[in-house]
């Protein structure tokens, strides 16, 4: 039966206990009980929530000077963290925190209820105040008794930023009690924000999270110091523990839970769809000058606003060094096992790095300005290679590829890749001597040939990245050159080309790579030229691809005999690197969260042309004229690439005008002709025409079977004046779009859901944003 709100003795027992932990609260308050109260005595649940928020507000007002007050605040915090998901999962309750509680506990209700804040706002403001509460979550600046304690309303929280870094030079004494208290409050904050998990994914970006919107608005007077504190705590964290290897085994690290929580809160507050925003850098009125004297009105979300306005070199350096240090941590693990604490929040870091590059173009240019970008690239390639066989890590594969796609749109990235690769991170890839570009190509080849089926939607992206960097690659190693030709061989088999409407795009991408290198970097690339000559029959077969119905059918028959998407046998992988472990599939039963489909490559990128002076201009998409009948792919578009899972026959059916009445797409001679005629083979054919006779002559004259002589000849050869006029370089740059914004939202919350297991905040609640699946 309902308990009166004024019955303090009853309500106080919920938070008066001295020694509880958040784990105790989860054990003492089982899910079934919360749901029962919600259904059978809703007024009690309402009162409990209201009372708990009231206690937090009182704690924030008083400044929590006594141990007892602090205990009450922490217990209320834990209780709300436990209950909120059950409020969110029930649509009838979702509005509860946004309503005001009439007259409850107001001493007779003589005050005007009009100006009462909704419960959610009171809760968020109290948490923000408590995060800068002297002697509770921050070091007090006064060295005296409680009588002259700092008044919580008069303190300037910017003087209490938690860690040195961006915009703050003073590094406070570490205090593990403060760290623990901050972690509990941030956990509650994250739980408040998690209402997003209980709404199904929608492409409607106006769908902003009211909790985040309020917390990151000017209503929160601590927005700036809190943003700075979160960012600095993450970027300053050094899991090694003061540079002494194995030090973490000696004492427990109190910082790490705080850093994880901070990273998660930070990426959730930055969940913002920049493609629909009217932010000045997007519509082109001002570009990247957000730190001029006259600030253009940025987004209302202050966290996004602050992030986009960071501009000092030393701040960029601090952020980049911090993120690179943390991303490299699992790699250091592999060659000095257990020397440092292995961090688990690399996925949150990748989301944070993505947001930094996406919202702050100056940061992106800073990253690409020096070879520091390689300190981000190598860990990403390590994660991609390591996760390629693991179904539960598809999301990690996607975000790694998205970041590389974003970077590859800038010329500097391609140029940086020419730096020799000397770090020997044990990776399950063939041993090679070469540059970072070789590493990238070898890892991509490994993903395509030995990843699992669900990565197929990423092939377009992987090859687009290679195309984007190809004009700048000065010299590929023999291993990488052979990998590229092996991909071409695999993708140009007739059954692969004829078995799906978009498979031929992959051949177009690879031909574009070869053309770019031959036209713009012929001089240093004798290995690639030699590989092209050795595999010349692949190009001749493509040029003579049969287009009659009978051959098409025969090509498709071959598929039934070899179901493997790409044969792994004829790829000479050689020995893998020492100390590496093969990429393993997920343990059966591993939990994973579902993801929404990502947009096709034509939605994900826009084409830009590089002019003589290296500047880029955007090309208008050529979609104005309708595509010819029966051919769904107009010349200018890249057609409809993969979406979602490896194949969606249902979508293909909807998509294709040439679908037969049976509703299943079949390749026709016209369709094959429509793209075969556009295969860009001229440059390569000309190269073969000139060089093959010369190479054959050397072999006959000198009776050579030795590669080195031929390579020496090719190194000194030249094709100046013999090749067709160089084509303009085309770069496909990532462009913000609401599809990707939605993908990031589901991915990010999926990671947060799975990573918060102690206590399991959202476990077994009715989440709608994604499905929880077992591998």
């Amino acid at each position: 039966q309902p308990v009166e709100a004024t019955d303090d003795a009853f309500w106080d027992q919920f938070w008066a206990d001295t020694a509880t932990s958040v784990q105790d609260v989860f054990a003492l308050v089982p899910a079934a009980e919360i749901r029962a109260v919600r259904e059978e005595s809703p007024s009690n649940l309402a009162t409990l929530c209201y009372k708990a928020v009231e206690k937090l507000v009182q704690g924030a007002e008083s400044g929590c000077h006594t141990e007892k007050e602090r205990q009450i605040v922490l217990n209320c915090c834990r209780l709300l963290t436990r209950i909120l998901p059950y409020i969110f999962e029930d649509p009838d309750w979702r509005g509860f925190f946004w309503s005001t509680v009439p007259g409850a506990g107001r001493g007779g209700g003589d005050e005007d209820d009009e100006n009462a804040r909704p419960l959610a706002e009171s809760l968020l403001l109290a948490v923000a105040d408590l995060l800068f509460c002297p002697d509770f979550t921050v070091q007090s600046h006064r060295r005296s008794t409680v009588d002259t304690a700092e008044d919580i309303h008069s303190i300037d929280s910017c003087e209490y930023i938690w860690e040195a870094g961006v915009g703050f030079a003073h590094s406070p004494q570490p205090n593990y009690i403060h760290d623990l208290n901050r972690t509990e409050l941030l956990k509650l904050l994250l739980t408040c924000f998690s209402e997003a998990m209980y709404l199904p994914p929608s492409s409607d970006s106006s769908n902003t999270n009211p909790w985040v919107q309020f917390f990151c608005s000017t209503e929160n007077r601590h927005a700036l110091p809190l943003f700075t504190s979160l960012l600095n705590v993450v970027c300053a964290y050094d899991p090694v523990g003061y540079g002494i290897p194995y030090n973490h085994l000696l004492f427990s690290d109190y910082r790490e839970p705080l850093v994880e929580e901070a990273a998660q809160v930070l990426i959730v507050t930055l969940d913002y769809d920049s493609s629909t925003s009217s932010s000045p850098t997007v519509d082109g009125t001002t570009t990247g000058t957000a730190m001029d004297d006259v600030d253009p009105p940025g987004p209302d979300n202050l966290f996004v606003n602050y992030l986009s306005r960071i501009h000092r070199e030393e701040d960029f350096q601090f952020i980049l060094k911090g993120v690179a240090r943390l991303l490299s941590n699992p790699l250091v693990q592999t060659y000095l096992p257990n020397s440092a604490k292995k961090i688990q929040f690399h996925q949150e870091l990748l989301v944070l790095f993505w947001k930094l590059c996406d919202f702050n173009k100056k940061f992106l240019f800073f990253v690409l300005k020096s070879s520091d970008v390689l300190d981000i690239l190598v860990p990403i390639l390590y994660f991609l290679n390591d996760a390629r066989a693991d179904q539960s890590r598809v999301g990690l594969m996607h975000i790694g590829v998205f970041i590389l796609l974003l970077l590859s749109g800038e010329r500097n990235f391609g140029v940086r890749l020419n730096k020799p690769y000397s770090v020997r991170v044990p990776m399950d890839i063939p041993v090679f001597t070469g540059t970072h570009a070789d590493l990238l190509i070898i890892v991509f080849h490994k993903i395509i040939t030995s990843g699992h089926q669900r990565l197929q939607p990423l092939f377009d992206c992987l090859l687009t990245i290679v195309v984007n960097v190809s004009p700048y690659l000065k010299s590929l190693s023999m291993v990488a050159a052979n990998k590229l030709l092996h991909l071409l061989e695999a993708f140009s088999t007739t059954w692969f080309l004829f078995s799906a409407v978009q498979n031929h795009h992959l051949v177009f991408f690879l031909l574009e790579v070869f053309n770019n290198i031959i036209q713009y970097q012929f001089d240093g690339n004798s290995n690639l030229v030699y590989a092209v000559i050795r595999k010349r029959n692949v190009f001749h077969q493509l040029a003579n691809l049969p287009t009659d119905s009978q051959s098409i059918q025969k090509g498709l028959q071959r598929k039934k005999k070899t179901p493997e998407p790409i044969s792994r046998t004829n790829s000479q992988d050689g020995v893998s690197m020492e100390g590496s472990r093969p990429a393993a599939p997920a343990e059966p039963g591993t939990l994973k969260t579902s993801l929404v489909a990502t947009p096709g490559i034509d939605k994900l990128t826009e084409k830009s042309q590089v002019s003589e002076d290296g500047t880029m201009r955007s090309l208008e998409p050529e979609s104005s004229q309708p595509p010819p009948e029966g051919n769904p792919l107009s010349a200018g578009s890249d057609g409809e690439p993969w979406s979602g899972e490896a194949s969606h026959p249902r979508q293909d059916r909807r998509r294709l005008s040439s679908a037969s009445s049976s509703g299943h797409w079949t390749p026709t001679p016209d369709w094959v002709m429509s793209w075969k005629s556009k295969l860009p083979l001229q440059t390569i054919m000309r190269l073969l025409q000139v060089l093959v006779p010369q190479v054959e002559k050397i072999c006959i004259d000198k009776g050579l079977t030795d590669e080195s002589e031929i390579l020496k000849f090719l190194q000194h050869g030249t094709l100046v004046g013999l090749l067709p006029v160089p084509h303009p370089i085309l770069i496909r740059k990532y462009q913000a779009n609401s599809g990707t914004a939605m993908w990031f939202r589901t991915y990010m919350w999926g990671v947060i859901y799975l990573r918060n297991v102690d206590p399991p905040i959202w476990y077994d609640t009715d989440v709608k944003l994604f499905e929880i699946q077992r591998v």
Side-chain angles (χ1 to χ4, degrees):
Q1 67 271 22
V3 180
E4 280 303 311
T6 46
D7 182 355
D8 284 341
F10 175 79
W11 298 110
D12 283 349
Q13 63 185 354
F14 285 99
W15 32 80
D17 253 356
T18 44
T20 53
S21 67
V22 67
Q23 285 77 6
D24 295 340
V25 171
F26 272 67
L28 292 167
V29 186
E33 217 166 287
I34 304 174
R35 288 191 176 115
V37 173
R38 187 181 72 195
E39 305 312 322
E40 287 147 34
S41 40
S43 68
N44 284 355
L45 183 60
T47 308
L48 182 63
C49 291
Y50 168 71
K51 286 281 188 189
V53 173
E54 189 179 48
K55 288 289 174 201
L56 289 180
V57 172
Q58 285 168 3
E61 294 280 317
S62 71
C64 286
H65 295 304
T66 65
E67 195 44 55
K68 183 171 184 250
E69 280 178 285
R70 289 173 201 160
Q71 204 49 60
I72 289 175
V73 162
L74 289 173
N75 284 339
C76 290
C77 202
R78 294 158 185 160
L79 193 64
L80 286 167
T81 302
R82 180 60 172 145
I83 294 171
L84 273 166
Y86 298 90
I87 301 270
F88 293 152
E89 74 175 357
D90 183 335
D92 296 338
W93 273 85
R94 223 167 272 148
F96 168 71
F97 270 84
W98 294 95
S99 57
T100 51
V101 182
R106 281 258 171 83
D110 46 2
E111 291 168 48
D112 197 6
D113 283 339
E114 287 310 297
N115 55 17
R117 278 190 177 283
L119 206 49
E121 295 188 4
S122 306
L123 170 56
L124 290 171
L125 294 176
V127 170
D129 278 340
L130 288 164
L131 285 168
F132 292 98
C133 184
D135 290 328
F136 179 51
T137 48
V138 291
Q139 213 71 51
S140 171
H141 288 187
R142 300 237 174 105
R143 288 276 159 268
S144 60
T145 55
V146 177
D147 315 334
T148 58
E150 292 159 277
D151 174 19
I152 193 129
H153 293 289
S154 64
I155 73 168
D156 173 9
S157 44
C158 284
E159 295 172 13
Y160 290 89
I161 288 170
W162 300 349
E163 186 56 76
V166 176
F168 194 65
H170 166 68
S171 187
Q173 261 317 104
N175 179 323
Y176 81 90
I177 302 284
H178 294 174
D179 277 0
L180 293 174
N181 294 342
R182 292 164 177 174
T183 305
E184 299 233 30
L185 286 160
L186 290 178
K187 217 181 262 313
L188 171 57
L189 199 51
L190 195 59
T191 311
C192 291
F193 295 159
S194 71
E195 185 181 339
M197 280 196 213
Y198 297 89
L199 303 170
S202 79
S203 52
D204 175 21
S205 49
S206 60
N207 204 331
T208 45
N209 182 331
W211 296 83
V212 172
Q213 197 178 3
F214 179 80
F215 191 77
C216 299
S217 73
T218 47
E219 294 274 345
N220 177 0
R221 70 189 181 99
H222 303 293
L224 180 60
L226 189 59
F227 168 77
T228 314
S229 295
L230 296 173
L231 184 62
N232 291 354
V233 156
V234 172
C235 294
Y237 179 54
D238 184 355
V240 177
Y242 314 105
I244 311 166
Y246 304 100
N247 201 15
H248 69 287
L249 301 174
L250 308 179
F251 59 85
S252 168
D253 177 358
Y254 295 99
R255 231 330 116 100
E256 190 179 19
L258 174 65
V259 175
E260 292 206 355
E261 216 65 53
Q264 292 178 359
V265 169
L266 200 50
I267 60 178
V268 170
T269 51
L270 295 169
D271 176 20
Y272 177 78
D273 182 357
S274 58
S275 67
T276 54
S277 72
S278 54
S279 111
T281 40
V282 178
D283 63 9
T285 46
T286 68
T287 43
T289 50
M291 266 324 228
D292 290 352
D293 309 332
V294 187
D295 278 346
D300 296 337
N301 177 327
L302 290 178
F303 279 37
V304 175
N305 202 339
Y306 297 144
L307 186 80
S308 65
R309 286 167 47 189
I310 298 171
H311 65 290
R312 287 174 25 207
E313 294 265 308
E314 55 269 42
D315 289 343
F316 287 157
Q317 190 60 34
F318 164 74
I319 295 171
L320 181 57
K321 278 274 181 280
V323 173
R325 178 192 328 114
L326 292 170
L327 285 178
S328 311
N329 162 277
L331 287 59
V332 176
Q333 279 297 315
T334 52
Y335 46 88
L336 284 174
N338 302 329
S339 60
K341 184 162 181 172
K342 184 165 185 175
I343 62 157
Q344 302 296 331
F345 55 99
H346 50 274
Q347 301 193 83
E348 292 92 323
L349 285 167
L350 289 171
V351 175
L352 178 60
F353 183 75
W354 169 269
K355 301 275 180 200
L356 279 157
C357 293
D358 195 21
F359 296 154
N360 190 324
K361 286 299 168 248
K362 287 185 171 170
F363 177 74
L364 176 63
F365 298 142
F366 177 85
V367 169
L368 292 164
K369 204 171 69 174
S370 73
S371 47
D372 288 351
V373 66
L374 302 174
D375 299 336
I376 300 284
L377 169 76
V378 172
I380 288 178
L381 291 175
Y382 171 84
F383 293 130
L384 290 178
N385 188 56
D386 189 52
R388 68 176 192 269
D390 183 343
Q391 293 253 352
S392 67
R393 293 197 282 170
V394 179
L396 171 62
M397 299 293 295
H398 276 75
I399 186 167
V401 172
F402 283 157
I403 289 174
L404 298 183
L405 179 66
L406 180 69
L407 295 173
S408 75
E410 307 297 331
R411 172 181 177 274
N412 264 354
F413 182 64
V415 174
R416 299 281 163 240
L417 290 178
N418 290 308
K419 187 176 177 181
Y421 176 66
S422 50
V423 202
R424 285 281 166 251
V425 176
M427 278 161 93
D428 159 30
I429 53 171
V431 179
F432 70 98
T433 304
T435 65
H436 285 76
D438 295 308
L439 177 69
L440 178 128
I441 288 168
I442 292 166
V443 169
F444 283 9
H445 172 270
K446 201 76 170 168
I447 294 167
I448 291 172
T449 55
S450 65
H452 55 79
Q453 277 293 184
R454 296 190 50 193
L455 297 180
Q456 221 167 335
L458 281 176
F459 291 1
D460 272 357
C461 271
L462 291 168
L463 292 187
T464 298
I465 294 164
V466 181
V467 173
N468 281 349
V469 301
S470 58
Y472 311 110
L473 304 183
K474 295 205 175 333
S475 137
L476 286 182
S477 69
M478 193 56 100
V479 180
N482 286 334
K483 296 299 178 210
L484 286 176
L485 278 139
H486 175 240
L487 289 179
L488 183 70
E489 228 176 332
F491 289 149
S492 58
T493 58
T494 47
W495 76 255
F496 185 78
L497 284 173
F498 296 158
S499 60
V501 66
Q502 67 285 13
N503 283 358
H504 62 276
H505 297 177
L506 299 173
V507 169
F508 275 78
F509 286 141
L510 285 163
L511 290 175
E512 214 176 314
V513 171
F514 297 134
N515 288 339
N516 280 343
I517 293 179
I518 292 167
Q519 288 281 19
Y520 291 98
Q521 297 290 350
F522 179 83
D523 285 352
N525 273 299
S526 51
N527 288 330
L528 183 76
V529 174
Y530 178 64
V532 167
I533 292 174
R534 274 191 40 215
K535 294 282 187 188
R536 55 189 177 276
N537 62 329
V538 181
F539 299 98
H540 290 302
Q541 279 165 3
L542 264 177
N544 301 316
L545 190 72
T547 56
D548 57 290
S549 307
Q550 205 180 351
S551 308
I552 293 176
Q553 282 317 308
K554 222 163 85 184
L556 288 169
Q557 289 309 310
R558 221 167 285 167
K559 175 178 186 180
K560 299 199 171 76
K561 297 187 201 115
T562 53
E564 275 298 297
I566 288 179
S567 76
R568 294 162 200 192
T569 44
N570 61 353
S571 155
Q572 300 85 24
D573 252 2
V575 194
S576 270
M577 294 175 67
E578 209 176 327
S580 66
R581 292 189 313 275
E587 292 285 314
T590 306
L591 287 181
K592 66 188 180 78
T593 53
S594 62
L595 292 162
V596 293
T598 51
I601 196 77
D602 55 338
K603 301 268 188 309
L604 212 55
T605 56
E606 60 174 6
K607 290 187 179 154
S608 299
Q609 195 169 314
V610 181
S611 329
E612 298 290 307
D613 59 357
T615 55
M616 288 193 197
R617 61 184 183 84
S618 172
L619 294 181
E620 286 304 308
E622 302 168 34
S623 52
S624 42
Q625 69 276 38
E629 256 320 289
N631 167 22
L633 310 173
S634 61
S637 85
D638 274 336
E640 278 280 1
W642 279 300
S643 74
E645 300 293 35
S647 77
H648 268 321
R650 211 174 56 249
Q651 280 184 349
D652 286 351
R653 245 177 273 161
R654 265 210 314 272
R655 186 186 286 164
L656 291 167
S657 44
S658 61
S660 55
S661 52
S662 71
H664 188 69
W665 174 79
T666 47
T668 62
D670 285 351
W671 172 76
V672 179
M673 277 306 295
S674 70
W675 54 262
K676 178 189 167 181
S677 59
K678 300 195 188 80
L679 284 167
L681 287 164
Q682 307 80 323
T683 303
I684 293 168
M685 288 311 187
R686 185 78 187 114
L687 172 133
L688 293 172
Q689 203 185 342
V690 174
L691 293 179
V692 170
Q694 299 181 341
V695 169
E696 283 175 343
K697 186 171 173 347
I698 296 178
C699 293
I700 295 164
D701 290 357
K702 305 200 174 169
L704 276 183
T705 47
D706 179 22
E707 291 186 356
S708 59
E709 282 289 327
I710 301 170
L711 282 169
K712 205 176 293 170
F713 161 73
L714 291 174
Q715 260 158 12
H716 300 301
T718 173
L719 291 175
V720 173
L722 297 172
L723 290 178
V725 177
H727 54 284
I729 296 174
L730 267 189
I731 301 288
R732 292 174 182 82
K733 286 174 76 101
Y734 168 80
Q735 56 171 352
N737 59 80
S738 45
T740 326
M742 192 61 232
W743 183 89
F744 269 95
R745 182 173 306 155
T746 50
Y747 169 60
M748 167 182 83
W749 279 115
V751 168
I752 291 172
Y753 177 97
L754 292 173
R755 299 257 299 103
N756 282 276
V757 285
D758 185 27
I761 301 182
W762 299 282
Y763 193 67
D764 270 350
T765 58
D766 188 13
V767 172
K768 294 276 194 298
L769 185 62
F770 43 77
E771 289 170 28
I772 291 95
Q773 302 158 338
R774 283 189 188 278
V775 172

